[in-house]
Amino acid sequence: MSAIRTRFAPSPTGYMHIGNLRTALYAYLVAKKDPDGVFILRIEDTDQGRLVEGATDIIYETLKQCHLDHDEGPDVGGPVGPYVQSDRVKSGLYMQYAKELIRLGGAHYCFCDEDMIEAQREVQEARGESFKYDDPCLRLSAEECEQRIANGEKFVIRQTIPTGGTTSFDDEVFGRITVDNETLDESVLMKSDGFPTYNFANVIDDHLMGITDVVRGMEYLSSTPKYNLIYQAFNWNIPRYIHCPPVMKDEHQKLSKRNGDASFQDLVAKGYLPEAILNYIALLGWSPEDNKEIFTLKELTQAFNVKHIGTSGAIFDIVKLTSINGIWLRNMNLDDYYALIKPYIDQAVKKDLDKKAIAAVVQQRADTLNEIPGMLDFFDTFPAYTNDMYVNKKMKTTEEIALQALKHAREKLALEDDWSQEHLHEVMMEMPKDLGMKNGQVLFPLRLAISGKQFTPGGAIEIANILGKEETLHRLDVSIAQLEK
């Protein structure tokens, strides 16, 4: 058995869509499941009108951020390059194979204008028929075609589809698929500008690059019989097909940048980790054998099995992604986490406080990086708040209970010289016992009194430790005076 070779073949037309990134991930996993497997990056830029400047760099950067390291590609080279289709066009490669396909009976020259083609399309569709172009060029001899070309007539090369019979193929996800040849339209393979269409270039390149397993979206299922007819005409081996269901916005719409849906770059900008995004999108359409949800890339490589890819579209759930991202953040060791989020802390906290201690309390509560600054603004500026925030049924607190608890806390804390978190824990946990109250009846008002916020990324103990004794006592004085009014 030869080594598995897969490819990710994006078009540089903009941002990295979530569906495209999932295709890259699955192609990577299929290759790396084989110890000798090869993952290839190929840039498909034959549709020159849709190219976006800088999009190729986005592809490189996204794969790098996600650690989907390709073994061969435009930037790393390889034995079957060039890996950019426009570079392959310059060598005359595709035209050479297109002319050979004509000789084999799998394609033909077409000198017909688009108006003639569209007229036939309208007639057939009005009858409720699948479009099948009746190409008069099929009746031209080879000599007539050569003469027209010599006379400077513009031409395209179209695929020739058998008039009868069926074409079948096997897909790892969707099983055996058979179509009637009469339902297949005769696609253009080479355009008049000398560039191949996707339908032709991907077959030629997959064969010449030795691709054994083709991973792509299920939107290509309907075109696969036509690709197979090209393989068969050349007497080439047909690769194993793995067509993946779409990533959906909801039950009816595919996820699409055109609809304003987030790309990979958008999600990173919103504070999601590349590793968490990759983890989540692996689960969009694929189910692991157990109920495990958190996977490193190495663990995904071990667990991935194409037989567990579903046939239904998977709905992208930002809430689920946020949950998985939070787990990834909480699983980091504190040093790495602090290095990652320090710029976010610096946005909100200008005072000279222990920012690593702040990171430690934030780590247990923040699910995305972008929410961190908004959690920490109270460290620099004590916000105004209303006394009714002390009333909490769950904590069994009222304004009167809060005032009693805060006065006692102020008195006790003023006596302490050891302001370490460990000592503050001992002191504060004694306060409810002193007052004959529940823990929440003392610690909840205390946290509110020194933060001014209903929800904070740490409890009273951690916040007091970070603020320091002087600021803690000052805020208690302000809050007690406000309650006494």
Side-chain angles (χ1 to χ4, degrees):
M1 292 289 288
S2 60
I4 289 177
R5 291 173 64 85
T6 67
R7 48 65 167 175
F8 175 49
S11 298
T13 56
Y15 292 102
M16 180 68 76
H17 301 282
I18 291 301
N20 282 357
L21 182 57
R22 189 194 61 176
T23 298
L25 172 61
Y26 285 4
Y28 174 90
L29 295 175
V30 169
K32 296 307 173 181
K33 194 85 174 174
D34 177 357
D36 300 316
V38 176
F39 175 55
I40 297 170
L41 173 64
R42 184 173 75 223
I43 302 299
E44 299 197 338
D45 61 346
T46 57
D47 191 349
Q48 297 282 293
R50 296 180 61 230
L51 303 186
V52 173
E53 186 176 353
T56 300
D57 292 332
I58 290 174
I59 294 167
Y60 293 146
E61 181 60 25
T62 300
L63 295 180
K64 181 180 177 182
Q65 284 180 278
C66 295
H67 305 289
L68 298 178
D69 303 322
H70 46 285
D71 305 293
E72 300 174 21
D75 53 338
V76 297
V80 291
Y83 294 89
V84 177
Q85 282 186 338
S86 58
D87 291 338
R88 297 167 76 80
V89 170
K90 296 170 187 174
S91 69
L93 173 77
Y94 301 112
M95 185 60 76
Q96 171 193 332
Y97 278 99
K99 289 181 177 179
E100 176 63 11
L101 188 60
I102 291 173
R103 190 188 69 79
L104 294 170
H108 62 277
Y109 290 108
C110 178
F111 300 91
C112 305
D113 61 40
E114 289 302 312
D115 290 339
M116 187 183 297
I117 295 171
E118 283 306 308
Q120 280 204 30
R121 182 190 299 275
E122 288 176 10
V123 169
Q124 292 182 32
E125 288 181 350
R127 294 179 191 148
E129 301 170 357
S130 298
F131 174 61
K132 180 78 171 178
Y133 180 51
D134 180 16
D135 193 341
C137 298
L138 279 168
R139 295 183 282 277
L140 295 176
S141 67
E143 292 75 16
E144 288 176 299
C145 289
E146 293 296 337
Q147 185 59 52
R148 288 192 175 201
I149 293 170
N151 292 339
E153 285 193 46
K154 282 191 173 183
F155 67 89
V156 298
I157 296 176
R158 303 178 76 93
Q159 186 172 6
T160 303
I161 302 292
T163 54
T166 61
T167 299
S168 300
F169 68 96
D170 293 307
D171 182 78
E172 293 296 313
V173 177
F174 291 88
R176 184 78 169 170
I177 295 177
T178 300
V179 300
D180 293 325
N181 289 333
E182 65 180 17
T183 66
L184 303 176
D185 66 309
E186 297 190 325
S187 305
V188 172
L189 303 182
M190 295 294 298
K191 295 177 283 188
S192 58
D193 61 4
F195 275 80
T197 60
Y198 172 85
N199 289 322
F200 188 54
N202 90 89
V203 173
I204 302 304
D205 289 343
D206 283 349
H207 170 72
L208 295 179
M209 292 182 178
I211 302 302
T212 62
D213 295 62
V214 171
V215 182
R216 61 188 173 213
M218 66 176 285
E219 63 269 25
Y220 294 105
L221 271 174
S222 60
S223 300
T224 300
K226 294 190 290 186
Y227 305 153
N228 280 8
L229 288 170
I230 297 174
Y231 278 110
Q232 290 164 2
F234 283 117
N235 198 28
W236 291 342
N237 289 332
I238 294 174
R240 184 172 73 136
Y241 292 119
I242 303 160
H243 287 91
C244 307
V247 179
M248 305 293 289
K249 178 188 182 79
D250 52 41
E251 291 182 1
H252 306 290
Q253 301 180 78
K254 287 174 61 176
L255 206 66
S256 168
K257 183 71 176 175
R258 263 178 263 170
N259 295 334
D261 299 318
S263 67
F264 171 79
Q265 285 73 25
D266 293 330
L267 292 173
V268 171
K270 290 177 180 178
Y272 293 90
L273 300 177
E275 297 86 350
I277 299 170
L278 208 65
N279 182 164
Y280 175 62
I281 66 174
L283 303 173
L284 290 174
W286 170 75
S287 301
E289 292 184 18
D290 52 25
N291 292 323
K292 182 176 178 179
E293 286 188 331
I294 306 302
F295 289 89
T296 63
L297 185 56
K298 183 177 180 180
E299 290 169 338
L300 277 174
T301 303
Q302 295 168 344
F304 191 73
N305 184 337
V306 297
K307 296 297 185 184
H308 291 173
I309 297 175
T311 57
S312 301
I315 296 176
F316 184 87
D317 182 355
I318 194 69
V319 174
K320 186 64 178 178
L321 170 61
T322 303
S323 173
I324 287 176
N325 197 70
I327 294 171
W328 268 87
L329 289 172
R330 285 185 278 284
N331 284 347
M332 295 177 71
N333 71 60
L334 182 57
D335 288 341
D336 290 342
Y337 182 77
Y338 177 53
L340 174 68
I341 75 160
K342 188 175 184 301
Y344 296 87
I345 297 176
D346 290 343
Q347 286 181 39
V349 183
K350 308 299 182 184
K351 285 184 176 180
D352 184 19
L353 300 177
D354 185 346
K355 293 186 177 179
K356 192 169 185 179
I358 293 175
V361 297
V362 169
Q363 186 172 15
Q364 300 310 310
R365 292 160 179 86
D367 287 326
T368 65
L369 299 175
N370 285 13
E371 68 190 85
I372 291 172
M375 291 180 163
L376 305 177
D377 53 359
F378 69 90
F379 279 111
D380 270 14
T381 305
F382 187 39
Y385 69 96
T386 56
N387 288 344
D388 60 352
M389 290 171 64
Y390 286 107
V391 180
N392 188 297
K393 287 184 179 180
K394 183 178 177 181
M395 295 297 177
K396 297 183 170 58
T397 55
T398 62
E399 292 181 25
E400 292 75 20
I401 290 173
L403 181 59
Q404 184 183 356
L406 295 185
K407 284 184 172 180
H408 180 70
R410 172 66 173 82
E411 181 182 335
K412 293 274 286 187
L413 291 174
L415 301 174
E416 300 301 327
D417 294 323
D418 182 351
W419 207 255
S420 67
Q421 187 168 311
E422 294 77 10
H423 185 67
L424 286 175
H425 183 272
E426 291 178 12
V427 172
M428 290 190 189
M429 295 310 291
E430 286 296 320
M431 294 176 184
K433 298 176 184 175
D434 296 341
L435 297 170
M437 293 181 181
K438 303 282 188 183
N439 287 351
Q441 290 178 300
V442 176
L443 297 180
F444 167 70
L446 180 53
R447 178 175 62 81
L448 175 56
I450 61 175
S451 69
K453 302 192 91 172
Q454 191 83 37
F455 303 102
T456 56
I461 298 166
E462 295 97 335
I463 292 172
N465 169 249
I466 294 167
L467 286 173
K469 181 176 180 179
E470 182 180 348
E471 180 65 14
T472 298
L473 294 180
H474 166 68
R475 293 186 177 194
L476 276 173
D477 289 339
V478 171
S479 293
I480 288 169
Q482 179 174 308
L483 269 171
E484 286 182 327
K485 287 183 182 179

